[in-house]
């Protein structure tokens, strides 16, 4: 599934790295605790979170993730957006809840395994 | 072959810049052509260490030595020290404040994650003096 399709599915606004929207991704991870993301995310390419600070972007960078979806319409600060932009990470904002965002992606049958 | 050595001062005042040294190390290792799993393990372990130094010890220093077959990361601070290392190594044990947890850390996964992603983690710590972590990731 392309990141562009994820944005459409979650009715999300894309705030950074639009040139990367054709990136193909296969899996996602939902979490607000970055320590848990670092501990348990394996090959996930999309991070769905309600946490808003620059460490979300750095955590995504450490794990080579391609996209961060901020849920509940939470608006990231310009600092977060520019850090993501500088590192080719797509940031999007969706009004969906974390549960619904995860469910919608899971339902596509694509984003549901640890395998690339 | 002689090791490449990188030194970083970790600013303890600014949580939002925490992780910059780990990002720099990650980029260096990528330029040097290390396998991606090695790069990922080094960057996660160092990032957790960097975050710990910022939230618990008001910063410190990181020295990274890169050999063809291993990466050695030494993180040193002059913070409060760890009174009970065994307890600190347990997943879920944390002395972090609510404020730190609100920032997405302090889940008690820092040291366990460092151990998980490295071949060896050595902790030298003295209460009131500081902590020195030596981590080795083998290629």
């Amino acid at each position: 599934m392309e990141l562009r399709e994820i944005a459409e599915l979650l009715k999300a606004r894309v705030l950074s790295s639009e040139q990367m929207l054709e990136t193909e991704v296969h899996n996602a991870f939902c979490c607000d605790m970055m320590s848990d993301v670092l501990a348990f995310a394996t090959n996930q390419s999309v991070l769905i979170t309600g946490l808003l600070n620059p460490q979300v972007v750095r955590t995504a960078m450490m794990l080579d993730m391609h996209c961060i979806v901020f849920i509940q319409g939470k608006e990231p600060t310009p600092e977060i957006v520019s850090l993501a932009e500088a590192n080719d990470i797509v940031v999007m904002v969706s009004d969906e809840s974390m549960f619904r965002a995860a469910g919608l992606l899971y339902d596509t049958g694509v984003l549901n395994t640890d395998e690339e | 072959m002689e090791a490449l050595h990188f030194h970083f001062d970790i600013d303890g005042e600014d949580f939002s810049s925490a992780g910059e040294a780990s990002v720099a190390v990650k980029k260096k290792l990528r330029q040097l052509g290390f396998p991606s799993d090695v790069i990922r393990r080094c960057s996660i372990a160092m990032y957790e260490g960097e975050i710990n130094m910022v939230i618990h010890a008001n910063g410190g220093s990181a020295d990274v030595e890169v050999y063809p077959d291993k990466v050695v990361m030494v993180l040193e601070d002059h913070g409060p020290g760890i009174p009970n290392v065994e307890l600190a190594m347990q997943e879920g044990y944390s002395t972090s404040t609510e404020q730190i947890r609100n920032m997405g850390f302090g889940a008690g996964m820092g040291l366990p994650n460092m151990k998980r992603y490295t071949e060896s983690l050595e902790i030298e710590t003295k209460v009131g003096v500081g902590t020195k972590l030596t981590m080795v990731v083998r290629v």
Side-chain angles (χ1 to χ4, degrees):
Chain A
M1 190 176 209
E2 287 185 7
L3 291 176
R4 185 185 305 285
E5 297 171 80
I6 291 180
E8 285 164 13
L9 187 67
L10 302 181
K11 299 187 189 70
R13 282 179 293 120
V14 176
L15 302 185
S16 73
S17 310
E18 287 195 29
Q19 75 281 4
M20 304 304 287
L21 281 174
E22 282 163 28
T23 306
E24 190 81 26
V25 294
H26 304 275
N27 35 47
F29 196 86
C30 292
C31 207
D32 286 349
M33 287 306 295
M34 293 303 110
S35 297
D36 279 359
V37 180
L38 292 164
F40 304 121
T42 47
N43 279 318
Q44 282 81 356
S45 314
V46 179
L47 176 60
I48 303 167
T49 188
L51 184 72
L52 279 182
N53 70 50
Q55 298 310 338
V56 175
V57 181
R58 292 224 174 78
T59 299
M61 288 165 69
M62 297 303 154
L63 294 165
D64 301 315
M65 288 172 151
H66 303 299
C67 175
I68 301 165
V69 181
F70 290 106
I71 42 90
Q72 312 276 185
K74 290 185 179 184
E75 197 71 31
T77 60
E79 187 188 7
I80 295 173
V81 175
S82 62
L83 187 59
E85 182 74 49
N87 290 283
D88 289 334
I89 292 174
V90 175
V91 163
M92 49 179 93
V93 179
S94 170
D95 287 333
E96 301 288 1
S97 67
M98 186 183 276
F99 182 77
R100 266 189 59 86
L104 287 165
L105 292 182
Y106 192 91
D107 209 30
T108 64
V110 181
L111 293 156
N112 60 359
T113 76
D114 280 351
E115 294 157 22
E116 283 289 356
Chain B
M1 195 179 122
E2 216 171 286
L4 292 171
H5 180 217
F6 305 104
H7 174 84
F8 303 91
D9 291 314
I10 313 293
D11 182 358
E13 299 294 323
D14 184 9
F15 177 76
S16 70
S17 71
E20 282 177 356
S22 308
V23 171
V25 167
K26 184 173 180 142
K27 284 180 179 161
K28 296 272 185 207
L29 293 177
R30 191 174 282 159
Q31 282 166 7
L32 292 165
F34 280 92
S36 57
D37 72 301
V38 171
I39 297 174
R40 183 183 286 210
R41 289 192 291 127
C42 289
S43 21
I44 293 175
M46 179 153 163
Y47 181 53
E48 287 282 17
E50 217 184 323
I51 292 282
N52 264 1
M53 280 200 284
V54 172
I55 63 184
H56 293 294
N58 199 28
S61 65
D63 288 276
V64 179
E65 283 183 352
V66 182
Y67 299 86
D69 61 337
K70 66 178 177 184
V71 179
V72 181
M73 295 167 281
V74 179
L75 277 62
E76 195 162 10
D77 68 58
H78 301 290
I82 306 170
N84 186 335
V85 173
E86 204 182 324
L87 202 54
M89 287 306 299
Q90 284 179 16
E91 289 193 0
Y93 177 80
S94 175
T95 56
S96 290
T97 60
E98 185 65 27
Q99 191 192 359
I100 300 300
R101 278 191 283 275
N102 288 342
M103 293 191 286
F105 291 91
M109 295 302 291
L111 284 169
N113 271 353
M114 286 181 240
K115 190 174 162 65
R116 184 190 308 252
Y117 289 111
T118 59
E119 263 76 34
S120 77
L121 164 65
E122 194 180 305
I123 304 171
E124 296 162 64
T125 185
K126 199 167 179 189
V127 172
V129 178
T131 299
K132 182 180 175 185
L133 299 181
T134 305
M135 297 183 281
V136 180
V137 170
R138 297 204 178 272
V139 178

